[in-house]
Amino acid sequence: MTKHKSEDDDIFSDVLSDSEKVTEGELSDILKNENGIRKKVSRLNLAKFSKLIKQLTLSFMMLKDYKEKHYTNIPWRTIALIVAAILYFINPFDIIPDLLPFLGFTDDAVAFAAIFKSAQTDLMDYCNWKGLNTEEYF
């Protein structure tokens, strides 16, 4: 159990470190690749990761609204964290390669869960601005 917690911490630390280097260009790239990312997300176990999938959907809505300057009441730090987590998710050669059945997405899910937890207040504020029910996402 300790080893698993250490790996979770390593994943979060990697994403946190990577987020410090995120650029507007990477935000644009993520939005351009949304369909491919959603295809990868569709391989997650819906029963096990339903909240995570909903939070990712919410994140894409927020990233689009931020990029289009409809919603800018969010720190760049939160945008960068979410972009870094998505970049980690689409990297097939992360800590546990996505080619391994069932295990490959586990580290990705851990990264997202940690990021969404740390960005929860900003995401909830966005939900309220958008008129969405926060209980559906959190």
Side-chain angles (χ1 to χ4, degrees), residues 14-132:
D14 287 348
V15 172
L16 193 61
S17 175
D18 290 347
S19 73
E20 294 172 6
K21 302 171 233 159
V22 168
T23 66
E24 288 275 346
E26 287 169 312
L27 169 59
S28 296
D29 291 344
I30 291 293
L31 293 174
K32 286 178 192 169
N33 289 319
E34 180 180 1
N35 289 336
I37 296 165
R38 286 188 182 277
K39 185 176 180 181
K40 185 174 179 179
V41 168
S42 72
R43 293 185 270 172
L44 290 172
N45 179 330
L46 182 59
K48 187 174 181 179
F49 295 109
S50 65
K51 283 280 189 197
L52 188 68
I53 293 167
K54 287 180 181 183
Q55 289 173 345
L56 183 61
T57 299
L58 176 68
S59 294
F60 267 107
M61 289 189 304
M62 185 184 67
L63 291 174
K64 285 180 200 171
D65 280 337
Y66 177 85
K67 179 75 175 161
E68 295 169 1
K69 303 210 183 320
H70 297 299
Y71 183 77
T72 56
N73 190 25
I74 186 163
W76 171 254
R77 183 79 183 127
T78 300
I79 296 295
L81 276 171
I82 292 169
V83 169
I86 293 170
L87 289 170
Y88 182 87
F89 182 72
I90 62 176
N91 178 2
F93 302 107
D94 49 32
I95 291 176
I96 301 173
D98 295 340
L99 303 172
L100 298 174
F102 304 107
L103 294 176
F105 294 121
T106 303
D107 61 327
D108 300 332
V110 167
F112 274 120
I115 294 305
F116 290 138
K117 185 69 176 167
S118 69
Q120 185 170 338
T121 300
D122 292 328
L123 287 166
M124 289 177 85
D125 289 346
Y126 174 74
C127 273
N128 291 328
W129 176 83
K130 194 84 170 167
L132 302 171

